[in-house]
Amino acid sequence: MSTSPLVFITGASSGIGQALADSFYEAGYRLALAARRTAEIESWASERQLDPGRYQVYGADVAQTDSILAAGAACIERQGLPDVVVANAGISVGIDTAEREDIEVMARTFATNNVGLMATFHPFVAAMKQRGSGRLVGVASVAAIRGLPGHGAYCASKAGVVAYCESLRGELRNSGVKVVTLCPGYIDTPLTQGNRYGMPFLMKAEDFANQALRAIEAGTSYRVIPWQMGVVAKLMRMLPNAVLDRAVQGRARKKRSGES
Ligand SMILES: NC(=O)c1ccc[n+]([C@@H]2O[C@H](COP(=O)([O-])OP(=O)(O)OC[C@H]3O[C@@H](n4cnc5c(N)ncnc54)[C@H](OP(=O)(O)O)[C@@H]3O)[C@@H](O)[C@H]2O)c1
């Protein structure tokens, strides 16, 4: 089996996941790329002229536990135990608590962004501990810092990612396996392209991915990218509730499911 390092990335069919795949490939890694839309990954890989010996594609739905566990097991069997696992797959949909159907949106968001993240790590964690090395990377968001009107499902799920990854980091301390929490600010991807509000410090996915790769390799415990949003996040965390509530009043909301 090849000795070049291996990265397993979920949500590799689009946006940040695809940009991360590109950056890791450039850095000499072999790629294990997972998503539901495998055809998107294959066409990107052929456009990008990836060496077929250096990547494999896994069809997986992270919201279906058996599906993502099977993808993890298949990766270990075909390509070996990864050095880095990036749980990046995620969805962001607005909700209104008065709307019955948005309860399902909340459930789907947690199934994808939270349960899916843990299930992505599960097949690898014991073997990484035994080996004494590895990186488990959780993609959270600056939206984890404070709750925003209309965005309760996403904000709550990403706050959950931050807290879960912190718990896991403590569990794996001194095992040689590092847990890295990434909080992207606003990154230009299909997920943000329909947003109806201003997106300060909007960043290209490639630039995000290059900075994320460095943070992952360094085993950084928590990193907001871009750094300017790290400053914003720190300030937001300190804002008294009354000031925050006034600041976000009337802010355009994230679109609900099916809203144009
Ligand atoms: N863009 C931003 O500004 C921003 C900011 C903060 C955090 N983030 C986080 O960054 C991550 C990537 O977002 P992005 O901006 O790159 O969005 P994106 O372009 O919409 O990509 C989302 C990716 O997640 C995958 N995915 C969604 N549901 C899935 C499921 N059930 N099973 C498997 N894969 C699934 C999609 O693949 P398939 O549809 O092919 O399955 C797709 O590859 C997300 O966790 C997001 O919350 C993004």
Side-chain angles (χ1 to χ4, degrees):
M1 208 163 273
S2 167
T3 52
S4 60
L6 174 67
V7 60
F8 181 91
I9 304 173
T10 64
S13 59
S14 172
I16 288 175
Q18 194 172 79
L20 282 169
D22 203 47
S23 294
F24 274 100
Y25 188 81
E26 282 298 310
Y29 282 72
R30 291 172 299 129
L31 307 177
L33 303 174
R36 291 166 302 184
R37 291 171 299 157
T38 51
E40 303 278 337
I41 302 179
E42 294 288 7
S43 69
W44 169 77
S46 97
E47 232 169 76
R48 179 70 181 68
Q49 298 185 316
L50 297 191
D51 171 355
R54 280 185 58 199
Y55 80 95
Q56 293 268 339
V57 177
Y58 302 91
D61 182 341
V62 300
Q64 304 290 329
T65 299
D66 288 345
S67 167
I68 184 62
L69 293 185
C75 168
I76 292 173
E77 197 179 312
R78 286 192 225 156
Q79 294 178 280
L81 182 63
D83 299 275
V84 179
V85 175
V86 188
N88 162 74
I91 55 170
S92 171
V93 184
I95 56 161
D96 180 343
T97 302
E99 300 293 341
R100 170 67 183 83
E101 63 267 29
D102 286 0
I103 297 175
E104 269 74 50
V105 175
M106 185 82 167
R108 198 167 71 241
T109 302
F110 275 77
T112 307
N113 297 2
N114 300 94
V115 183
L117 182 123
M118 178 184 175
T120 298
F121 292 158
H122 171 79
F124 308 111
V125 69
M128 279 184 168
K129 263 172 82 172
Q130 199 178 13
R131 182 179 63 188
S133 68
R135 301 273 186 276
L136 298 173
V137 183
V139 178
S141 170
V142 167
I145 310 294
R146 300 300 293 258
L148 299 169
H151 219 15
Y154 188 70
C155 292
S157 75
K158 292 300 185 179
V161 170
V162 171
Y164 162 77
C165 287
E166 188 156 76
S167 302
L168 189 62
R169 191 174 79 228
E171 290 163 27
L172 294 175
R173 187 161 182 265
N174 297 330
S175 71
V177 183
K178 303 266 190 203
V179 178
V180 178
T181 305
L182 295 178
C183 284
Y186 290 111
I187 314 301
D188 189 7
T189 72
L191 184 131
T192 46
Q193 277 152 12
N195 284 350
R196 301 177 283 200
Y197 39 80
M199 293 188 277
F201 309 113
L202 184 68
M203 191 180 206
K204 282 193 199 146
E206 306 88 88
D207 296 338
F208 171 86
N210 288 331
Q211 292 189 24
L213 172 62
R214 288 199 290 276
I216 293 166
E217 287 197 319
T220 308
S221 57
Y222 177 91
R223 173 68 51 84
V224 179
I225 301 171
W227 67 266
Q228 292 92 332
M229 284 304 280
V231 176
V232 172
K234 280 207 165 77
L235 292 172
M236 281 181 75
R237 189 174 280 127
M238 289 186 319
L239 276 188
N241 290 348
V243 177
L244 176 78
D245 293 350
R246 209 173 313 129
V248 297
Q249 192 177 4
R251 181 179 188 264
R253 295 182 178 202
K254 185 87 188 175
K255 286 179 190 160
R256 293 179 53 244
S257 181
E259 200 181 333
S260 55

